[in-house]
Amino acid sequence: MFSDTSTGFMKETALSVNKIKAVLLVAICVLALSACSSNKPQVSVDDTQNFADIKTFHIPAPVKPINATLASHLSSTITQHLIAKGLTPASEDNADIAVVYLPSNSTKEDGTTLNLGLGTGSFGRSGGISLGSIFSIPVGEQTTLQQGLQIDMVKDGKFIYSASGVVELESKDSISIQNKLDELVIRLLEQYPPKK
């Protein structure tokens, strides 16, 4: 039914998807740790990588489901900033790197993290809107909602650039969250490409 070429391609595709899933699992752990530390972005770079050789990128859909509007907005914002840095969007098969992102949120009360979840959300008097978050708690006067984001660049199944950061949300509406995520994208991609 399938030729050897198509079977080989399907196996390669399955391996690539599994590698990206593994990368995202590590990203979740790194993001959880970085959310507990300072608000300064944490950036890691593969020093052996020649970033001048990277010309194209592809942003796959998030492995963990998040709100489609938020996913589209993040993908568009990351794409705009990478284009401004001289990279060109390409199909998955023709891209030099895959750029994966993972939003998260956490709440803090008196400096102590109470909860951590994937996605992002906003909360109103009655529970409000949830943009793909996995928790929904009322945000009181002494509780701070933080929005986190991790952006990873993967080449041949290997991390070459990883940046994560957190911003505090002053307002909990969707527009404010998007604006804060835009600021975070700028900060996370600020050091790309790394200068040697």
Side-chain angles (χ1 to χ4, degrees):
M1 183 154 102
F2 294 109
S3 70
D4 289 339
T5 305
S6 63
T7 303
F9 176 75
M10 289 169 46
K11 286 180 182 177
E12 276 186 41
T13 303
L15 285 173
S16 294
V17 168
N18 286 337
K19 286 180 183 178
I20 289 176
K21 285 181 182 179
V23 165
L24 286 177
L25 180 59
V26 171
I28 291 170
C29 295
V30 170
L31 187 59
L33 291 174
S34 69
C36 297
S37 62
S38 77
N39 285 346
K40 182 179 178 188
Q42 304 293 315
V43 178
S44 298
V45 176
D46 178 358
D47 293 329
T48 64
Q49 179 63 47
N50 181 1
F51 287 89
D53 290 344
I54 297 172
K55 306 290 184 203
T56 58
F57 69 95
H58 172 71
I59 301 177
V63 174
K64 295 285 184 185
I66 63 172
N67 176 278
T69 303
L70 178 66
S72 175
H73 180 79
L74 277 171
S75 180
S76 174
T77 303
I78 292 169
T79 297
Q80 289 172 10
H81 288 285
L82 291 177
I83 288 172
K85 290 181 174 284
L87 297 178
T88 305
S91 67
E92 182 177 2
D93 295 333
N94 296 325
D96 295 329
I97 58 172
V99 180
V100 293
Y101 60 89
L102 180 68
S104 68
N105 55 24
S106 61
T107 56
K108 284 189 162 188
E109 185 171 346
D110 298 328
T112 306
T113 300
L114 296 174
N115 209 339
L116 178 70
L118 296 176
T120 186
S122 62
F123 309 95
R125 232 176 18 183
S126 61
I129 301 168
S130 178
L131 296 176
S133 65
I134 61 171
F135 72 90
S136 179
I137 61 171
V139 179
E141 289 178 26
Q142 297 177 351
T143 304
T144 304
L145 182 63
Q146 292 188 323
Q147 180 64 57
L149 180 65
Q150 176 150 345
I151 299 174
D152 294 317
M153 297 182 185
V154 182
K155 183 176 182 183
D156 302 325
K158 181 180 169 187
F159 285 110
I160 60 167
Y161 182 91
S162 181
S164 61
V166 178
V167 291
E168 288 188 6
L169 299 175
E170 290 114 25
S171 181
K172 298 169 284 275
D173 63 274
S174 298
I175 293 171
S176 297
I177 291 171
Q178 283 187 347
N179 290 339
K180 284 293 189 178
L181 280 170
D182 290 350
E183 291 173 23
L184 199 48
V185 167
I186 291 168
R187 286 177 32 210
L188 297 182
L189 294 177
E190 192 172 48
Q191 296 181 45
Y192 184 86
K195 295 172 179 56
K196 293 194 174 192

